[in-house]
Amino acid sequence: MSFYQKLKPFIFKFDAERMHNVAMSLMHFSSKFPLLESYIAKSHCCIYEELSQNIHGLKFYNPIGLASGFDKNAEAIRPLASLGFSFLELGSITQMPQDGNPKPRIFRHIEQESVQNALGFNNKGARGVLANLQKNYPFCIPIGINIGKNKNIVMADSLKNYELSLETLKDYGDYFTFNLSSPNTPGLRDLQNESFVVDLLDMAHAITTKPLFIKISPDMEIDSMLRVCQKAIEKKVSGIIATNTTIDYSLVPQPAQRNGHNIGGLSGKVLTSKSREILKILGQNFFRQTTLISVGGIASADEIYERLRLGASLVQIMTSMVYGGPSVVKHMNIQLHKKLEADGIKHIRELIGTGINRD
Ligand SMILES: Cc1cc2nc3c(=O)[nH]c(=O)nc-3n(C[C@H](O)[C@H](O)[C@H](O)COP(=O)(O)O)c2cc1C
């Protein structure tokens, strides 16, 4: 049993957001000791040529990235990189700082190895985060910046709100993701429509030549999802990140509530099959037309292997780190490498998309 597994029952006695803040402080502390940081990096970062890829001009030395929401303010870039991630998606960042929803707002569903979060884009705002990005520039691995919309901005002003954030942050991301799918900002998911996606990508291409992604919800009606993604591809999106959290509360026995209403979105193992199913559909329709990044309930190398087979070039994880601890990325990379070897696959390129059934 790993040290983290022994510690977990104790950690889980405390509020989830508080424990997250403790983890962030520990990482911040470790970054003050370069020897400690390089020791952690040496023991966690596995470099296998067979797992590395160049995508949109960026070098990913393995397929596993950190999903958006863990480091909202770019406060732990180096410590997180030293855990073995090949890329980090920071944010979501909004143009103006905001506090998010009332606490408590992160809940564990321990039996289901899942999390329910109703944070509501608590972050320091684009200018606040810019300062942290500048401190860490140039970055040691590709850094994605995930942009969300401020809660108090009326729908008609959404585009401008995204534009101002992108303008502020454009020099400090290796790629940008437009988050249209968090369930915690009222109306945000309604922006997953063809007309807004066209305006958004036109606006963004005029500001930057860097790769642009959109992040979608797992709860969209399938035809509508396909239409929105098709339009995004026509407008030269670099890729689709699927998926954000789900509001299908039937997946947990006792969803957390506020004022008698279910709140937030579910991540972790309850999301695994839904997120895999969405990727399967995206792979069938858009493989080779755009880059697919799969996220949602990924907790093992076997699951990563399957997502790659279904057409994902990269994956992201978050909740599996809550349940598996800081060494999950390392173990996933080692296991994935072993699995490729066992199956006689020389490079993950050969695996990606092999499980797509176009019938
Ligand atoms: C605590 C928490 C905060 C999150 N915050 C964001 C966010 O700010 N922006 C975003 O695009 N997704 C956010 N997400 C969604 C994750 O990026 C990811 O899409 C989702 O959790 C599914 O992956 P997982 O099952 O590996 O956690 C958040 C998820 C959690 C659990």
Side-chain angles (χ1 to χ4, degrees):
M1 200 191 246
S2 74
F3 180 62
Y4 183 78
Q5 292 305 330
K6 283 188 192 140
L7 207 62
K8 208 164 66 174
F10 175 73
I11 295 173
F12 281 9
K13 287 193 199 308
F14 297 93
D15 171 71
E17 184 168 356
R18 208 164 140 208
M19 288 299 100
H20 174 75
N21 293 339
V22 169
M24 290 296 284
S25 303
L26 283 174
M27 282 194 261
H28 190 69
F29 178 76
S30 79
S31 69
K32 299 203 182 309
F33 301 93
L35 279 179
L36 175 63
E37 202 173 82
S38 79
Y39 170 77
I40 296 172
K42 271 195 193 120
S43 53
H44 285 80
C45 300
C46 314
I47 313 244
Y48 301 113
E49 195 40 48
E50 296 84 350
L51 298 184
S52 79
Q53 301 176 80
N54 269 299
I55 300 171
H56 300 300
L58 301 171
K59 171 103 177 165
F60 297 87
Y61 76 94
N62 69 59
I64 311 173
L66 176 70
S68 184
F70 193 92
D71 187 1
K72 287 181 182 275
N73 295 313
E75 285 164 332
I77 294 181
R78 289 179 58 90
L80 283 166
S82 71
L83 296 182
F85 289 107
S86 74
F87 67 112
L88 308 174
E89 190 166 307
L90 308 174
S92 292
I93 300 164
T94 53
Q95 191 231 335
M96 300 299 291
Q98 56 181 38
D99 292 336
N101 292 323
K103 294 175 185 173
R105 51 194 184 174
I106 307 182
F107 310 89
R108 303 181 192 94
H109 294 280
I110 296 176
E111 288 288 301
Q112 292 73 29
E113 292 192 29
S114 295
V115 163
Q116 184 172 348
N117 98 81
L119 287 170
F121 293 162
N122 51 314
N123 77 106
K124 293 185 170 163
R127 279 178 201 283
V129 180
L130 180 67
N132 288 345
L133 289 164
Q134 285 166 335
K135 274 187 231 154
N136 285 281
Y137 195 79
F139 308 123
C140 47
I141 52 173
I143 295 296
I145 294 184
N146 179 306
I147 300 178
K149 180 187 95 65
N150 279 110
K151 186 178 178 177
N152 64 350
I153 292 292
V154 296
M155 293 302 272
D157 295 337
S158 303
L159 186 68
K160 192 74 196 165
N161 193 240
Y162 281 100
E163 182 179 352
L164 292 171
S165 295
L166 182 62
E167 264 299 343
T168 305
L169 299 165
K170 64 182 177 194
D171 295 331
Y172 291 94
D174 292 306
Y175 73 84
F176 293 90
T177 300
F178 294 108
N179 180 0
L180 305 176
S181 46
S182 165
N184 299 316
T185 297
L188 187 83
R189 288 178 164 203
D190 298 338
L191 298 175
Q192 297 179 119
N193 67 69
E194 291 160 79
S195 142
F196 187 76
V197 163
V198 167
D199 292 346
L200 189 65
L201 290 168
D202 281 345
M203 172 278 286
H205 285 307
I207 293 176
T208 180
T209 53
K210 291 180 179 173
L212 303 171
F213 289 80
I214 57 167
K215 182 166 177 182
I216 62 168
S217 144
D219 303 321
M220 279 179 96
E221 196 250 317
I222 298 298
D223 283 348
S224 159
M225 173 184 86
L226 290 175
R227 280 198 305 275
V228 169
C229 292
Q230 178 64 48
K231 203 38 107 185
I233 291 168
E234 284 165 28
K235 281 284 158 186
K236 304 218 172 339
V237 79
S238 304
I240 314 284
I241 302 185
T243 65
N244 212 313
T245 54
T246 177
I247 55 166
D248 179 356
Y249 301 110
S250 68
L251 293 168
V252 288
Q254 280 186 308
Q257 297 191 328
R258 181 164 297 125
N259 304 326
H261 297 288
N262 296 325
I263 50 168
L266 294 163
S267 58
K269 285 198 177 164
V270 295
L271 180 59
T272 308
S273 63
K274 199 165 189 161
S275 159
R276 193 198 302 127
E277 197 51 37
I278 299 285
L279 171 67
K280 191 170 165 186
I281 297 166
L282 293 174
Q284 281 165 345
N285 285 274
F286 303 124
F287 183 59
R288 291 203 200 289
Q289 292 179 49
T290 196
T291 301
L292 300 174
I293 300 183
S294 187
V295 49
I298 297 176
S300 67
D302 285 352
E303 188 60 34
I304 297 177
Y305 193 92
E306 190 52 20
R307 304 280 173 122
L308 297 173
R309 271 174 34 82
L310 292 174
S313 298
L314 299 166
V315 300
Q316 295 176 332
I317 65 161
M318 176 163 0
T319 304
S320 55
M321 222 178 20
V322 173
Y323 289 95
S327 298
V328 282
V329 188
K330 165 183 157 177
H331 293 306
M332 284 175 179
N333 274 316
I334 293 173
Q335 292 304 325
L336 183 63
H337 185 252
K338 276 195 185 145
K339 214 168 145 53
L340 290 183
E341 237 175 23
D343 290 354
I345 298 168
K346 293 203 169 55
H347 195 280
I348 52 168
R349 263 193 308 269
E350 293 171 20
L351 180 68
I352 293 170
T354 51
I356 295 174
N357 178 355
R358 289 185 190 268
D359 295 343

